Amino acid sequence: MGGLYYSGVFSAFILISVFSLPAAKAASSFQLLPGKPLPDGATLVSSGGIFELGFFCPGNSANRYVGIWYHNFSTSTVLWVANRKSPVLDRSGSLAIADDGNLVVLDGQKAVLWSSKVTSLQSNRSTAELFDSGNLMLNNSGVMAWQSFDHPCDTYLPGMKVGLDLITNVNQVFTSWRSEDDPAPGNFSIGIAPDRSTQFFIWEGNKPWWRSGRWNGQVFIGIQNMVPNYIYGFRLNNFQQENKMYFYYSQFNSSHRYVLTPDGVERHLVWANDSKNWYQYWAQPFSTQCEIYNRCGNNATCTDSLDGNSPNCSCLKGFEFVGGNLSGGCVRRTPLLTKSGNTSYR
């Protein structure tokens, strides 16, 4: 996200193969209609042939999930998963429009494993469509009732928004997979800081893991080598008018994506047509230990070691390590004297 502005050259060749497709697939369309469920083995393909939706198995798992991947150039790259918490245990599953108008994933016994959970829909008036943006949209009586872009997983695509509702304070975040074999929500998430400070945070659970620094209208001030007016059109919306604060980047092409990995690294990946593989263009935190948030604790400085392993932590002047722990932060050697005559270590 902040890495949209990194000016370096391609680095770290990456090939990602995360799921297996059925050996044979039924004829595809881009819409799902009431009474016509999509069984395991059939797929939806967006009208321009860019994205595809169907069942897949991640990594070495035998579990089945409904996901969206690239149809035209990288069929082994999953971008979104519906039933990431509730897999189908065999190939008897289906994606369907339920009687109440919701989009559902069913197992072989027709039990609902996942639902779009929209209330007040008109029954038998829903259709679902996969668009060339990679967005799966549920329409009810001609009105959009739900879309996958509002419920992201680990991948950030052009047209998606990551942001904070300034009225409800609900934060729309991206969440890593638990592992390469399990798309269930993992330990890491990324989103806008809830204090409305126009910066991205990666959290490990509820603990800050990395931050981008504030947005100054052109770049994130905490990221080095960021180039203003980047070609992909990364922007902050007019949140004072919309009551929502979100970042987005414009549709350049479908070969760029950002993914939050199970180990808490945000990667900017670019598809190279010549080699038919993904290349890592940017990653954060990645190269040094000091990129990790508060790596040496409070009142301390962090200097990267030459071997790239444990950083060199040191206390600010007038402070000392807590209990000799080099990563536990620092406290004052001499307490401050307050006006009341009491001492304070603040």
Side-chain angles (χ1 to χ4, degrees):
M1 301 183 186
L4 286 157
Y5 290 84
Y6 186 69
S7 61
V9 297
F10 286 153
S11 62
F13 166 78
I14 288 183
L15 171 63
I16 298 177
S17 179
V18 293
F19 75 95
S20 59
L21 290 171
K25 296 186 290 184
S28 302
S29 68
F30 58 88
Q31 285 189 324
L32 186 67
L33 304 175
K36 296 183 178 181
L38 186 77
D40 191 328
T43 63
L44 299 180
V45 176
S46 64
S47 60
I50 299 175
F51 293 96
E52 187 171 6
L53 177 148
F55 283 85
F56 73 99
C57 287
N60 295 317
S61 173
N63 292 330
R64 308 289 291 171
Y65 300 87
V66 172
I68 296 173
W69 55 86
Y70 296 100
H71 172 74
N72 59 344
F73 63 84
S74 183
T75 58
S76 61
T77 302
V78 175
L79 306 168
W80 181 81
V81 183
N83 56 318
R84 61 190 306 198
K85 296 180 181 179
S86 303
V88 183
L89 302 182
D90 52 33
R91 293 178 178 268
S92 65
S94 61
L95 178 70
I97 303 290
D99 292 340
D100 65 357
N102 272 291
L103 195 62
V104 294
V105 175
L106 306 172
D107 65 13
Q109 288 71 48
K110 306 306 178 185
V112 176
L113 301 180
W114 172 87
S115 170
S116 53
K117 294 183 179 179
V118 181
T119 59
S120 303
L121 294 176
Q122 296 185 40
S123 60
N124 299 319
R125 300 295 299 273
S126 290
T127 61
E129 181 173 342
L130 180 62
F131 288 86
D132 283 335
S133 61
N135 191 16
L136 176 64
M137 188 179 296
L138 178 69
N139 292 296
N140 186 256
S141 299
V143 178
M144 187 194 74
W146 177 94
Q147 60 178 348
S148 61
F149 271 19
D150 288 338
H151 304 271
C153 294
D154 66 334
T155 300
Y156 184 42
L157 293 174
M160 280 186 167
K161 300 174 182 178
V162 53
L164 180 68
D165 190 310
L166 302 182
I167 297 177
T168 64
N169 219 37
V170 173
N171 205 346
Q172 180 174 298
V173 300
F174 292 74
T175 308
S176 67
W177 284 26
R178 185 173 295 169
S179 70
E180 292 185 358
D181 301 327
D182 187 356
N187 294 329
F188 293 92
S189 60
I190 186 169
I192 290 181
D195 63 0
R196 308 180 182 187
S197 59
T198 68
Q199 61 182 320
F200 283 116
F201 268 79
I202 296 177
W203 296 276
E204 182 180 15
N206 295 322
K207 180 182 177 182
W209 173 252
W210 173 83
R211 68 186 180 104
S212 65
R214 294 174 185 264
W215 174 255
N216 69 2
Q218 292 184 315
V219 298
F220 291 101
I221 61 175
I223 300 178
Q224 297 180 359
N225 302 320
M226 295 179 68
V227 180
N229 302 319
Y230 194 74
I231 190 172
Y232 303 115
F234 196 52
R235 296 290 184 269
L236 173 66
N237 73 312
N238 189 335
F239 57 88
Q240 293 178 340
Q241 292 184 0
E242 298 186 45
N243 288 320
K244 291 183 179 179
M245 179 185 293
Y246 58 84
F247 286 96
Y248 62 97
Y249 66 109
S250 59
Q251 182 77 37
F252 177 69
N253 59 51
S254 59
S255 64
H256 293 254
R257 64 189 174 96
Y258 294 78
V259 60
L260 182 62
T261 64
D263 57 352
V265 177
E266 181 196 9
R267 300 181 186 272
H268 179 189
L269 301 175
V270 182
W271 180 258
N273 282 321
D274 54 351
S275 61
K276 305 300 180 185
N277 286 307
W278 291 102
Y279 286 85
Q280 179 176 289
Y281 190 66
W282 180 90
Q284 192 80 23
F286 183 71
S287 59
T288 68
Q289 285 286 314
C290 289
E291 293 173 352
I292 298 174
Y293 184 87
N294 203 26
R295 180 63 177 84
C296 290
N298 296 333
N299 305 311
T301 61
C302 182
T303 304
D304 289 304
S305 59
L306 295 177
D307 59 11
N309 295 320
S310 298
N312 298 314
C313 297
S314 59
C315 292
L316 299 176
K317 186 177 181 179
F319 291 80
E320 61 185 3
F321 286 112
V322 178
N325 188 341
L326 298 183
S327 61
C330 305
V331 295
R332 289 186 181 276
R333 290 194 182 96
T334 304
L336 298 176
L337 185 63
T338 65
K339 290 183 180 180
S340 62
N342 297 322
T343 57
S344 172
Y345 286 87
R346 291 181 299 173

